[in-house]
Amino acid sequence: ERLENENIEKQEFFKTYLGIKNKNVLSSLEQMAYVWKVKDKEVIIREGEPLPCVPFLISGIVKGYCESKGDGKEHVSCFGYLKGDIVVGISNLSVNGKSLLTIESISSCTMLCVPIPELLKLIEQSPEMMRLYNRALSLAYKKLIEHEDIVANHRAKERYQYFVDTYRDLVDVVSKKDIASYLHLSPESLSRVQKAIRKKNRKTNRKVMRAERKNLIKSRKSLFSLRKAISSEAGNCVNQEGKAPYKREDGRSKKSRL
């Protein structure tokens, strides 16, 4: 659903989440950008389709994947969920460029879109936009290399920990099927890893609780000993009649006589 006049501060969005400062560039982006809303599990663009625009995420979660030609199985390669994330791949950004991935919403999403012809002109005219484009390309390439290294050279547990560290906010939101696909694991292998981690966390929590309980008991004993020492010291100084007690031959205190 394309919304031309959605009440969104476009300039503020581009300034805050893309770091654009030039007023002329911000004004141009404001004029050419439009809001696009999709429901959950809706395909935003399919692999091989022409790219009409570059969408920047305002809210929601998306995934990017390619499909096997034989069985049509999805192979998830990325997720987008942060405000300002570029929803489509921009490595082949051109007027006739086609999407390298199928982009699908995991939840309902709102995006701010810039048509590609206008965006390309702005990149050519503005050094700031050129720097932004190069920075986005560099970041995308870095993530790609990092992901390929993780799935090729690390064990299942390390892969899952990478996902937790990279997409901490998505652990309980994204389906196990998509996480397993992203990590090049079977759903069964992912379940075993998650089960082992939960078991380890429970053991760690029990150890922490036992240690805290011991410390609490120790603190109570120390407090009791301190109170006893204070009470004993006070009793040695003054008796109930206001006079200092004296010791008997057997060492016990005896009340002073009037």
Side-chain angles (χ1 to χ4, degrees), residues 235-246 256-258:
N236 288 334
C237 293
V238 181
N239 63 15
Q240 291 181 351
E241 287 79 18
K243 298 179 180 180
Y246 65 91
S256 61
R257 296 177 182 176
L258 295 172

Side-chain angles (χ1 to χ4, degrees), residues 129-147:
M129 286 298 295
M130 179 61 76
R131 288 193 297 271
L132 173 65
Y133 176 58
N134 289 333
R135 187 166 65 246
L137 280 177
S138 177
L139 180 60
Y141 182 71
K142 179 183 176 182
K143 287 183 176 180
L144 176 63
I145 297 300
E146 191 177 69
H147 178 242

Side-chain angles (χ1 to χ4, degrees), residues 145-156 158-159 183-184:
I145 297 300
E146 191 177 69
H147 178 242
E148 288 182 348
D149 173 66
I150 288 293
V151 299
N153 302 313
H154 293 75
R155 296 179 178 179
E158 294 169 331
R159 296 184 205 179
L183 298 177
H184 291 203

Side-chain angles (χ1 to χ4, degrees), residues 37-53:
K37 289 189 174 184
V38 296
K39 299 178 181 178
D40 62 308
K41 298 181 180 180
E42 184 175 334
V43 173
I44 296 169
I45 189 168
R46 292 194 180 278
E47 181 183 0
E49 289 183 350
L51 289 169
C53 65

Side-chain angles (χ1 to χ4, degrees), residues 65-190:
Y65 62 88
C66 57
E67 297 181 9
S68 299
K69 293 182 179 180
D71 55 10
K73 186 177 180 180
E74 293 181 10
H75 299 282
V76 178
S77 60
C78 61
F79 298 96
Y81 71 102
L82 296 174
K83 209 165 187 178
D85 275 354
I86 300 175
V87 174
V88 298
I90 57 171
S91 59
N92 61 335
L93 192 63
S94 65
V95 175
N96 299 315
K98 296 181 180 180
S99 179
L100 301 176
L101 298 171
T102 295
I103 308 298
E104 182 179 322
S105 60
I106 293 176
S107 66
S108 57
C109 297
T110 301
M111 300 166 288
L112 194 56
C113 305
V114 181
I116 284 182
E118 288 85 343
L119 181 60
L120 288 172
K121 289 180 181 178
L122 199 56
I123 290 173
E124 291 178 0
Q125 296 169 0
S126 168
E128 186 176 27
M129 286 298 295
M130 179 61 76
R131 288 193 297 271
L132 173 65
Y133 176 58
N134 289 333
R135 187 166 65 246
L137 280 177
S138 177
L139 180 60
Y141 182 71
K142 179 183 176 182
K143 287 183 176 180
L144 176 63
I145 297 300
E146 191 177 69
H147 178 242
E148 288 182 348
D149 173 66
I150 288 293
V151 299
N153 302 313
H154 293 75
R155 296 179 178 179
K157 184 178 179 180
E158 294 169 331
R159 296 184 205 179
Y160 182 67
Q161 189 58 53
Y162 164 79
F163 179 82
V164 171
D165 294 340
T166 306
Y167 298 107
R168 185 172 299 276
D169 294 335
L170 302 185
V171 173
D172 298 320
V173 180
V174 176
S175 70
K176 288 184 179 180
K177 178 184 175 183
D178 285 340
I179 296 175
S181 175
Y182 176 73
L183 298 177
H184 291 203
L185 296 172
S186 66
E188 294 76 18
S189 295
L190 177 62

